[in-house]
mmCIF file of all heavy atoms in Angstrom:
data_model
loop_
_atom_site.group_PDB
_atom_site.id
_atom_site.type_symbol
_atom_site.label_atom_id
_atom_site.label_comp_id
_atom_site.label_asym_id
_atom_site.label_seq_id
_atom_site.Cartn_x
_atom_site.Cartn_y
_atom_site.Cartn_z
ATOM 1 N N VAL A 129 -16.912 -2.167 23.966
ATOM 2 C CA VAL A 129 -17.338 -2.300 22.561
ATOM 3 C C VAL A 129 -18.848 -2.148 22.462
ATOM 4 O O VAL A 129 -19.357 -1.472 21.559
ATOM 5 C CB VAL A 129 -16.875 -3.653 21.965
ATOM 6 C CG1 VAL A 129 -17.521 -3.910 20.613
ATOM 7 C CG2 VAL A 129 -15.364 -3.704 21.849
ATOM 8 N N LYS A 130 -19.558 -2.768 23.378
ATOM 9 C CA LYS A 130 -21.031 -2.679 23.367
ATOM 10 C C LYS A 130 -21.507 -1.256 23.648
ATOM 11 O O LYS A 130 -22.509 -0.813 23.095
ATOM 12 C CB LYS A 130 -21.632 -3.644 24.387
ATOM 13 C CG LYS A 130 -21.550 -5.091 23.933
ATOM 14 C CD LYS A 130 -22.165 -6.022 24.955
ATOM 15 C CE LYS A 130 -22.125 -7.463 24.493
ATOM 16 N NZ LYS A 130 -22.702 -8.371 25.492
ATOM 17 N N GLN A 131 -20.795 -0.524 24.493
ATOM 18 C CA GLN A 131 -21.201 0.840 24.825
ATOM 19 C C GLN A 131 -20.869 1.829 23.710
ATOM 20 O O GLN A 131 -21.606 2.780 23.489
ATOM 21 C CB GLN A 131 -20.528 1.296 26.123
ATOM 22 C CG GLN A 131 -21.051 0.588 27.347
ATOM 23 C CD GLN A 131 -20.242 0.937 28.594
ATOM 24 O OE1 GLN A 131 -19.258 1.663 28.523
ATOM 25 N NE2 GLN A 131 -20.670 0.397 29.740
ATOM 26 N N ARG A 132 -19.735 1.625 23.044
ATOM 27 C CA ARG A 132 -19.290 2.553 21.990
ATOM 28 C C ARG A 132 -18.872 1.776 20.732
ATOM 29 O O ARG A 132 -17.695 1.761 20.363
ATOM 30 C CB ARG A 132 -18.117 3.387 22.479
ATOM 31 C CG ARG A 132 -18.481 4.319 23.609
ATOM 32 C CD ARG A 132 -17.259 5.089 24.112
ATOM 33 N NE ARG A 132 -17.363 5.336 25.531
ATOM 34 C CZ ARG A 132 -17.004 4.480 26.500
ATOM 35 N NH1 ARG A 132 -16.506 3.326 26.214
ATOM 36 N NH2 ARG A 132 -17.147 4.813 27.775
ATOM 37 N N PRO A 133 -19.817 1.150 20.035
ATOM 38 C CA PRO A 133 -19.458 0.312 18.881
ATOM 39 C C PRO A 133 -18.775 1.091 17.746
ATOM 40 O O PRO A 133 -17.878 0.563 17.091
ATOM 41 C CB PRO A 133 -20.790 -0.288 18.419
ATOM 42 C CG PRO A 133 -21.848 0.531 19.073
ATOM 43 C CD PRO A 133 -21.249 1.154 20.291
ATOM 44 N N ASP A 134 -19.161 2.334 17.560
ATOM 45 C CA ASP A 134 -18.540 3.120 16.477
ATOM 46 C C ASP A 134 -17.064 3.394 16.745
ATOM 47 O O ASP A 134 -16.267 3.484 15.808
ATOM 48 C CB ASP A 134 -19.288 4.440 16.262
ATOM 49 C CG ASP A 134 -20.646 4.228 15.611
ATOM 50 O OD1 ASP A 134 -20.825 3.168 14.956
ATOM 51 O OD2 ASP A 134 -21.516 5.094 15.757
ATOM 52 N N SER A 135 -16.687 3.509 17.996
ATOM 53 C CA SER A 135 -15.284 3.750 18.342
ATOM 54 C C SER A 135 -14.401 2.547 18.023
ATOM 55 O O SER A 135 -13.208 2.696 17.796
ATOM 56 C CB SER A 135 -15.153 4.086 19.826
ATOM 57 O OG SER A 135 -15.879 5.246 20.130
ATOM 58 N N PHE A 136 -14.978 1.363 18.014
ATOM 59 C CA PHE A 136 -14.203 0.140 17.804
ATOM 60 C C PHE A 136 -14.366 -0.437 16.395
ATOM 61 O O PHE A 136 -13.741 -1.432 16.055
ATOM 62 C CB PHE A 136 -14.615 -0.916 18.835
ATOM 63 C CG PHE A 136 -14.184 -0.586 20.229
ATOM 64 C CD1 PHE A 136 -14.988 0.176 21.056
ATOM 65 C CD2 PHE A 136 -12.953 -1.017 20.712
ATOM 66 C CE1 PHE A 136 -14.588 0.493 22.349
ATOM 67 C CE2 PHE A 136 -12.545 -0.704 21.992
ATOM 68 C CZ PHE A 136 -13.358 0.052 22.817
ATOM 69 N N ARG A 137 -15.212 0.184 15.583
ATOM 70 C CA ARG A 137 -15.515 -0.345 14.247
ATOM 71 C C ARG A 137 -14.255 -0.584 13.412
ATOM 72 O O ARG A 137 -14.094 -1.620 12.785
ATOM 73 C CB ARG A 137 -16.470 0.584 13.503
ATOM 74 C CG ARG A 137 -16.896 0.028 12.145
ATOM 75 C CD ARG A 137 -17.989 0.839 11.493
ATOM 76 N NE ARG A 137 -19.102 1.156 12.374
ATOM 77 C CZ ARG A 137 -20.098 0.315 12.690
ATOM 78 N NH1 ARG A 137 -20.107 -0.894 12.213
ATOM 79 N NH2 ARG A 137 -21.061 0.692 13.501
ATOM 80 N N SER A 138 -13.329 0.358 13.417
ATOM 81 C CA SER A 138 -12.129 0.215 12.583
ATOM 82 C C SER A 138 -11.236 -0.942 13.039
ATOM 83 O O SER A 138 -10.461 -1.473 12.246
ATOM 84 C CB SER A 138 -11.328 1.515 12.556
ATOM 85 O OG SER A 138 -10.830 1.803 13.842
ATOM 86 N N LEU A 139 -11.358 -1.352 14.305
ATOM 87 C CA LEU A 139 -10.568 -2.479 14.795
ATOM 88 C C LEU A 139 -11.139 -3.822 14.351
ATOM 89 O O LEU A 139 -10.406 -4.796 14.195
ATOM 90 C CB LEU A 139 -10.483 -2.451 16.320
ATOM 91 C CG LEU A 139 -9.736 -1.275 16.931
ATOM 92 C CD1 LEU A 139 -9.874 -1.293 18.447
ATOM 93 C CD2 LEU A 139 -8.279 -1.317 16.531
ATOM 94 N N PHE A 140 -12.443 -3.879 14.149
ATOM 95 C CA PHE A 140 -13.100 -5.149 13.844
ATOM 96 C C PHE A 140 -13.621 -5.249 12.413
ATOM 97 O O PHE A 140 -13.921 -6.352 11.957
ATOM 98 C CB PHE A 140 -14.259 -5.391 14.823
ATOM 99 C CG PHE A 140 -13.810 -5.577 16.241
ATOM 100 C CD1 PHE A 140 -13.983 -4.578 17.176
ATOM 101 C CD2 PHE A 140 -13.204 -6.756 16.637
ATOM 102 C CE1 PHE A 140 -13.567 -4.748 18.499
ATOM 103 C CE2 PHE A 140 -12.773 -6.939 17.947
ATOM 104 C CZ PHE A 140 -12.954 -5.932 18.883
ATOM 105 N N CYS A 141 -13.748 -4.136 11.722
ATOM 106 C CA CYS A 141 -14.312 -4.142 10.366
ATOM 107 C C CYS A 141 -13.352 -3.452 9.398
ATOM 108 O O CYS A 141 -12.872 -2.352 9.668
ATOM 109 C CB CYS A 141 -15.652 -3.404 10.326
ATOM 110 S SG CYS A 141 -16.898 -4.118 11.411
ATOM 111 N N HIS A 142 -13.116 -4.093 8.289
ATOM 112 C CA HIS A 142 -12.247 -3.512 7.263
ATOM 113 C C HIS A 142 -13.037 -2.503 6.441
ATOM 114 O O HIS A 142 -14.141 -2.795 5.967
ATOM 115 C CB HIS A 142 -11.711 -4.607 6.340
ATOM 116 C CG HIS A 142 -10.994 -4.079 5.148
ATOM 117 N ND1 HIS A 142 -9.792 -3.411 5.235
ATOM 118 C CD2 HIS A 142 -11.313 -4.092 3.830
ATOM 119 C CE1 HIS A 142 -9.396 -3.054 4.028
ATOM 120 N NE2 HIS A 142 -10.306 -3.461 3.160
ATOM 121 N N GLU A 143 -12.477 -1.326 6.288
ATOM 122 C CA GLU A 143 -13.064 -0.319 5.419
ATOM 123 C C GLU A 143 -12.008 0.038 4.381
ATOM 124 O O GLU A 143 -10.935 0.537 4.735
ATOM 125 C CB GLU A 143 -13.479 0.915 6.220
ATOM 126 C CG GLU A 143 -14.623 0.623 7.173
ATOM 127 C CD GLU A 143 -15.108 1.853 7.905
ATOM 128 O OE1 GLU A 143 -14.920 2.978 7.387
ATOM 129 O OE2 GLU A 143 -15.669 1.682 8.988
ATOM 130 N N PRO A 144 -12.294 -0.261 3.111
ATOM 131 C CA PRO A 144 -11.288 0.004 2.075
ATOM 132 C C PRO A 144 -10.901 1.475 2.021
ATOM 133 O O PRO A 144 -11.738 2.361 2.217
ATOM 134 C CB PRO A 144 -11.976 -0.405 0.771
ATOM 135 C CG PRO A 144 -13.265 -1.038 1.146
ATOM 136 C CD PRO A 144 -13.538 -0.761 2.581
ATOM 137 N N GLN A 145 -9.612 1.706 1.779
ATOM 138 C CA GLN A 145 -9.129 3.072 1.649
ATOM 139 C C GLN A 145 -9.225 3.507 0.197
ATOM 140 O O GLN A 145 -9.125 2.693 -0.715
ATOM 141 C CB GLN A 145 -7.673 3.163 2.098
ATOM 142 C CG GLN A 145 -7.463 2.867 3.553
ATOM 143 C CD GLN A 145 -5.985 2.949 3.921
ATOM 144 O OE1 GLN A 145 -5.114 2.883 3.071
ATOM 145 N NE2 GLN A 145 -5.712 3.093 5.195
ATOM 146 N N ARG A 146 -9.380 4.785 0.007
ATOM 147 C CA ARG A 146 -9.366 5.359 -1.334
ATOM 148 C C ARG A 146 -7.931 5.287 -1.848
ATOM 149 O O ARG A 146 -7.003 5.732 -1.183
ATOM 150 C CB ARG A 146 -9.838 6.813 -1.267
ATOM 151 C CG ARG A 146 -9.961 7.487 -2.598
ATOM 152 C CD ARG A 146 -10.481 8.918 -2.399
ATOM 153 N NE ARG A 146 -10.585 9.585 -3.665
ATOM 154 C CZ ARG A 146 -9.580 10.196 -4.270
ATOM 155 N NH1 ARG A 146 -8.390 10.227 -3.709
ATOM 156 N NH2 ARG A 146 -9.756 10.781 -5.436
ATOM 157 N N LEU A 147 -7.745 4.687 -3.027
ATOM 158 C CA LEU A 147 -6.402 4.534 -3.583
ATOM 159 C C LEU A 147 -5.826 5.881 -4.008
ATOM 160 O O LEU A 147 -6.544 6.733 -4.537
ATOM 161 C CB LEU A 147 -6.435 3.607 -4.797
ATOM 162 C CG LEU A 147 -6.708 2.135 -4.523
ATOM 163 C CD1 LEU A 147 -6.850 1.371 -5.841
ATOM 164 C CD2 LEU A 147 -5.601 1.540 -3.683
ATOM 165 N N THR A 148 -4.537 6.049 -3.773
ATOM 166 C CA THR A 148 -3.821 7.235 -4.235
ATOM 167 C C THR A 148 -2.611 6.781 -5.037
ATOM 168 O O THR A 148 -2.191 5.616 -4.954
ATOM 169 C CB THR A 148 -3.340 8.095 -3.045
ATOM 170 O OG1 THR A 148 -2.357 7.357 -2.315
ATOM 171 C CG2 THR A 148 -4.488 8.508 -2.138
ATOM 172 N N ALA A 149 -2.039 7.707 -5.788
ATOM 173 C CA ALA A 149 -0.843 7.404 -6.575
ATOM 174 C C ALA A 149 0.301 6.969 -5.667
ATOM 175 O O ALA A 149 1.036 6.022 -5.987
ATOM 176 C CB ALA A 149 -0.446 8.615 -7.412
ATOM 177 N N ASP A 150 0.456 7.632 -4.532
ATOM 178 C CA ASP A 150 1.527 7.271 -3.592
ATOM 179 C C ASP A 150 1.327 5.863 -3.034
ATOM 180 O O ASP A 150 2.291 5.105 -2.888
ATOM 181 C CB ASP A 150 1.621 8.280 -2.452
ATOM 182 C CG ASP A 150 2.191 9.619 -2.898
ATOM 183 O OD1 ASP A 150 2.894 9.654 -3.927
ATOM 184 O OD2 ASP A 150 1.927 10.620 -2.217
ATOM 185 N N MET A 151 0.088 5.504 -2.719
ATOM 186 C CA MET A 151 -0.191 4.155 -2.215
ATOM 187 C C MET A 151 0.181 3.113 -3.264
ATOM 188 O O MET A 151 0.788 2.086 -2.942
ATOM 189 C CB MET A 151 -1.673 4.011 -1.855
ATOM 190 C CG MET A 151 -2.090 4.714 -0.599
ATOM 191 S SD MET A 151 -3.890 4.717 -0.371
ATOM 192 C CE MET A 151 -4.210 2.990 -0.117
ATOM 193 N N MET A 152 -0.187 3.378 -4.508
ATOM 194 C CA MET A 152 0.106 2.432 -5.590
ATOM 195 C C MET A 152 1.611 2.324 -5.814
ATOM 196 O O MET A 152 2.135 1.228 -6.031
ATOM 197 C CB MET A 152 -0.599 2.862 -6.874
ATOM 198 C CG MET A 152 -2.099 2.747 -6.815
ATOM 199 S SD MET A 152 -2.672 1.053 -6.864
ATOM 200 C CE MET A 152 -2.395 0.679 -8.590
ATOM 201 N N ASP A 153 2.309 3.441 -5.757
ATOM 202 C CA ASP A 153 3.759 3.424 -5.936
ATOM 203 C C ASP A 153 4.424 2.616 -4.826
ATOM 204 O O ASP A 153 5.345 1.831 -5.073
ATOM 205 C CB ASP A 153 4.297 4.848 -5.980
ATOM 206 C CG ASP A 153 5.771 4.912 -6.324
ATOM 207 O OD1 ASP A 153 6.248 4.077 -7.124
ATOM 208 O OD2 ASP A 153 6.467 5.800 -5.803
ATOM 209 N N ASP A 154 3.956 2.788 -3.601
ATOM 210 C CA ASP A 154 4.505 2.039 -2.469
ATOM 211 C C ASP A 154 4.158 0.550 -2.551
ATOM 212 O O ASP A 154 4.923 -0.293 -2.092
ATOM 213 C CB ASP A 154 3.994 2.604 -1.139
ATOM 214 C CG ASP A 154 4.562 3.970 -0.814
ATOM 215 O OD1 ASP A 154 5.598 4.350 -1.412
ATOM 216 O OD2 ASP A 154 3.962 4.673 0.025
ATOM 217 N N LEU A 155 3.000 0.248 -3.107
ATOM 218 C CA LEU A 155 2.522 -1.129 -3.166
ATOM 219 C C LEU A 155 3.350 -1.998 -4.115
ATOM 220 O O LEU A 155 3.649 -3.148 -3.810
ATOM 221 C CB LEU A 155 1.054 -1.125 -3.604
ATOM 222 C CG LEU A 155 0.316 -2.445 -3.611
ATOM 223 C CD1 LEU A 155 0.211 -3.017 -2.202
ATOM 224 C CD2 LEU A 155 -1.084 -2.241 -4.196
ATOM 225 N N PHE A 156 3.723 -1.441 -5.272
ATOM 226 C CA PHE A 156 4.444 -2.202 -6.298
ATOM 227 C C PHE A 156 5.954 -1.999 -6.149
ATOM 228 O O PHE A 156 6.446 -0.886 -6.258
ATOM 229 C CB PHE A 156 4.002 -1.763 -7.699
ATOM 230 C CG PHE A 156 2.647 -2.267 -8.071
ATOM 231 C CD1 PHE A 156 1.510 -1.560 -7.728
ATOM 232 C CD2 PHE A 156 2.500 -3.459 -8.760
ATOM 233 C CE1 PHE A 156 0.249 -2.019 -8.064
ATOM 234 C CE2 PHE A 156 1.245 -3.929 -9.099
ATOM 235 C CZ PHE A 156 0.111 -3.211 -8.746
ATOM 236 N N THR A 157 6.663 -3.093 -5.942
ATOM 237 C CA THR A 157 8.115 -3.049 -5.803
ATOM 238 C C THR A 157 8.769 -3.433 -7.123
ATOM 239 O O THR A 157 8.540 -4.538 -7.616
ATOM 240 C CB THR A 157 8.584 -4.028 -4.704
ATOM 241 O OG1 THR A 157 7.912 -3.694 -3.493
ATOM 242 C CG2 THR A 157 10.087 -3.968 -4.519
ATOM 243 N N PRO A 158 9.570 -2.541 -7.701
ATOM 244 C CA PRO A 158 10.252 -2.896 -8.953
ATOM 245 C C PRO A 158 11.327 -3.958 -8.720
ATOM 246 O O PRO A 158 12.066 -3.892 -7.746
ATOM 247 C CB PRO A 158 10.899 -1.583 -9.403
ATOM 248 C CG PRO A 158 10.266 -0.519 -8.584
ATOM 249 C CD PRO A 158 9.788 -1.160 -7.316
ATOM 250 N N ARG A 159 11.357 -4.933 -9.595
ATOM 251 C CA ARG A 159 12.432 -5.942 -9.593
ATOM 252 C C ARG A 159 13.424 -5.506 -10.662
ATOM 253 O O ARG A 159 13.205 -5.715 -11.847
ATOM 254 C CB ARG A 159 11.880 -7.327 -9.904
ATOM 255 C CG ARG A 159 10.969 -7.860 -8.840
ATOM 256 C CD ARG A 159 10.559 -9.265 -9.157
ATOM 257 N NE ARG A 159 9.556 -9.733 -8.224
ATOM 258 C CZ ARG A 159 8.783 -10.764 -8.445
ATOM 259 N NH1 ARG A 159 8.876 -11.445 -9.571
ATOM 260 N NH2 ARG A 159 7.904 -11.133 -7.550
ATOM 261 N N LEU A 160 14.486 -4.891 -10.221
ATOM 262 C CA LEU A 160 15.442 -4.269 -11.124
ATOM 263 C C LEU A 160 16.642 -5.166 -11.396
ATOM 264 O O LEU A 160 17.075 -5.924 -10.527
ATOM 265 C CB LEU A 160 15.921 -2.940 -10.543
ATOM 266 C CG LEU A 160 14.824 -1.897 -10.284
ATOM 267 C CD1 LEU A 160 15.359 -0.760 -9.438
ATOM 268 C CD2 LEU A 160 14.275 -1.379 -11.602
ATOM 269 N N ALA A 161 17.176 -5.042 -12.606
ATOM 270 C CA ALA A 161 18.404 -5.738 -12.979
ATOM 271 C C ALA A 161 19.558 -5.137 -12.177
ATOM 272 O O ALA A 161 19.454 -4.031 -11.641
ATOM 273 C CB ALA A 161 18.643 -5.586 -14.478
ATOM 274 N N PRO A 162 20.692 -5.848 -12.099
ATOM 275 C CA PRO A 162 21.843 -5.293 -11.371
ATOM 276 C C PRO A 162 22.301 -3.955 -11.954
ATOM 277 O O PRO A 162 22.205 -3.721 -13.159
ATOM 278 C CB PRO A 162 22.935 -6.361 -11.574
ATOM 279 C CG PRO A 162 22.198 -7.611 -11.908
ATOM 280 C CD PRO A 162 20.954 -7.182 -12.622
ATOM 281 N N LYS A 163 22.796 -3.082 -11.071
ATOM 282 C CA LYS A 163 23.270 -1.761 -11.490
ATOM 283 C C LYS A 163 24.434 -1.886 -12.463
ATOM 284 O O LYS A 163 25.226 -2.826 -12.384
ATOM 285 C CB LYS A 163 23.721 -0.941 -10.280
ATOM 286 C CG LYS A 163 22.592 -0.441 -9.447
ATOM 287 C CD LYS A 163 23.101 0.461 -8.342
ATOM 288 C CE LYS A 163 21.919 1.025 -7.571
ATOM 289 N NZ LYS A 163 22.332 1.999 -6.579
ATOM 290 N N GLY A 164 24.514 -0.906 -13.355
ATOM 291 C CA GLY A 164 25.641 -0.822 -14.271
ATOM 292 C C GLY A 164 25.390 -1.422 -15.641
ATOM 293 O O GLY A 164 26.145 -1.158 -16.568
ATOM 294 N N GLY A 165 24.348 -2.197 -15.800
ATOM 295 C CA GLY A 165 24.078 -2.832 -17.083
ATOM 296 C C GLY A 165 23.074 -2.053 -17.914
ATOM 297 O O GLY A 165 22.401 -1.136 -17.429
ATOM 298 N N ASN A 166 22.968 -2.425 -19.180
ATOM 299 C CA ASN A 166 22.017 -1.780 -20.082
ATOM 300 C C ASN A 166 20.574 -2.035 -19.661
ATOM 301 O O ASN A 166 19.716 -1.162 -19.801
ATOM 302 C CB ASN A 166 22.235 -2.262 -21.517
ATOM 303 C CG ASN A 166 23.523 -1.733 -22.103
ATOM 304 O OD1 ASN A 166 24.051 -0.719 -21.642
ATOM 305 N ND2 ASN A 166 24.049 -2.419 -23.102
ATOM 306 N N ARG A 167 20.297 -3.232 -19.163
ATOM 307 C CA ARG A 167 18.938 -3.536 -18.710
ATOM 308 C C ARG A 167 18.525 -2.587 -17.587
ATOM 309 O O ARG A 167 17.419 -2.070 -17.586
ATOM 310 C CB ARG A 167 18.835 -4.979 -18.231
ATOM 311 C CG ARG A 167 18.803 -5.979 -19.348
ATOM 312 C CD ARG A 167 18.699 -7.403 -18.809
ATOM 313 N NE ARG A 167 18.478 -8.308 -19.906
ATOM 314 C CZ ARG A 167 17.365 -9.010 -20.087
ATOM 315 N NH1 ARG A 167 16.396 -8.940 -19.204
ATOM 316 N NH2 ARG A 167 17.232 -9.787 -21.132
ATOM 317 N N ARG A 168 19.402 -2.374 -16.643
ATOM 318 C CA ARG A 168 19.092 -1.493 -15.505
ATOM 319 C C ARG A 168 18.872 -0.065 -15.973
ATOM 320 O O ARG A 168 17.972 0.623 -15.489
ATOM 321 C CB ARG A 168 20.216 -1.563 -14.467
ATOM 322 C CG ARG A 168 20.002 -0.669 -13.256
ATOM 323 C CD ARG A 168 18.725 -1.055 -12.469
ATOM 324 N NE ARG A 168 18.558 -0.240 -11.311
ATOM 325 C CZ ARG A 168 18.950 -0.575 -10.092
ATOM 326 N NH1 ARG A 168 19.537 -1.732 -9.876
ATOM 327 N NH2 ARG A 168 18.756 0.231 -9.091
ATOM 328 N N ARG A 169 19.698 0.413 -16.902
ATOM 329 C CA ARG A 169 19.515 1.778 -17.418
ATOM 330 C C ARG A 169 18.142 1.927 -18.072
ATOM 331 O O ARG A 169 17.460 2.932 -17.882
ATOM 332 C CB ARG A 169 20.633 2.134 -18.398
ATOM 333 C CG ARG A 169 21.896 2.612 -17.703
ATOM 334 C CD ARG A 169 22.900 3.181 -18.690
ATOM 335 N NE ARG A 169 23.591 2.151 -19.441
ATOM 336 C CZ ARG A 169 24.604 1.427 -18.989
ATOM 337 N NH1 ARG A 169 25.044 1.623 -17.772
ATOM 338 N NH2 ARG A 169 25.176 0.517 -19.746
ATOM 339 N N ALA A 170 17.731 0.910 -18.839
ATOM 340 C CA ALA A 170 16.419 0.952 -19.487
ATOM 341 C C ALA A 170 15.300 0.936 -18.442
ATOM 342 O O ALA A 170 14.307 1.670 -18.561
ATOM 343 C CB ALA A 170 16.278 -0.220 -20.454
ATOM 344 N N GLU A 171 15.457 0.118 -17.408
ATOM 345 C CA GLU A 171 14.454 0.039 -16.348
ATOM 346 C C GLU A 171 14.375 1.345 -15.564
ATOM 347 O O GLU A 171 13.284 1.817 -15.235
ATOM 348 C CB GLU A 171 14.783 -1.125 -15.416
ATOM 349 C CG GLU A 171 14.674 -2.478 -16.073
ATOM 350 C CD GLU A 171 15.275 -3.611 -15.262
ATOM 351 O OE1 GLU A 171 15.853 -3.367 -14.185
ATOM 352 O OE2 GLU A 171 15.161 -4.767 -15.724
ATOM 353 N N ASP A 172 15.532 1.929 -15.265
ATOM 354 C CA ASP A 172 15.568 3.199 -14.537
ATOM 355 C C ASP A 172 14.866 4.322 -15.303
ATOM 356 O O ASP A 172 14.367 5.269 -14.690
ATOM 357 C CB ASP A 172 17.014 3.602 -14.222
ATOM 358 C CG ASP A 172 17.618 2.797 -13.075
ATOM 359 O OD1 ASP A 172 16.849 2.163 -12.315
ATOM 360 O OD2 ASP A 172 18.865 2.795 -12.944
ATOM 361 N N ALA A 173 14.833 4.226 -16.626
ATOM 362 C CA ALA A 173 14.149 5.242 -17.429
ATOM 363 C C ALA A 173 12.634 5.074 -17.378
ATOM 364 O O ALA A 173 11.890 6.043 -17.562
ATOM 365 C CB ALA A 173 14.639 5.174 -18.878
#
C-alpha cells in the first residue's frame, strides 16, 4: 500500500459513482400488490 497507494485507493476510499437510469432502476424495488387484482394492473402500468 505504501509503495503503490493509488492502486489501493479504491479499496480504502469511497468514490461516488455517477448515477445512471439503470442504477436507479435496480436500486428501487417495487412493492407490488398480488397478481390478478386491479391494484396490480394499475401498478404494472
Side-chain angles (χ1 to χ4, degrees):
V129 170
K130 286 181 178 179
Q131 290 173 357
R132 294 177 213 84
D134 288 338
S135 299
F136 290 88
R137 184 172 312 280
S138 65
L139 295 173
F140 295 105
C141 300
H142 171 67
E143 293 184 25
Q145 295 179 341
R146 184 178 179 276
L147 290 174
T148 66
D150 288 337
M151 286 171 67
M152 292 288 286
D153 187 35
D154 290 342
L155 185 64
F156 286 87
T157 303
R159 294 185 187 162
L160 301 167
K163 286 185 176 186
N166 290 338
R167 284 180 172 246
R168 179 62 178 264
R169 277 190 284 281
E171 294 168 357
D172 284 343

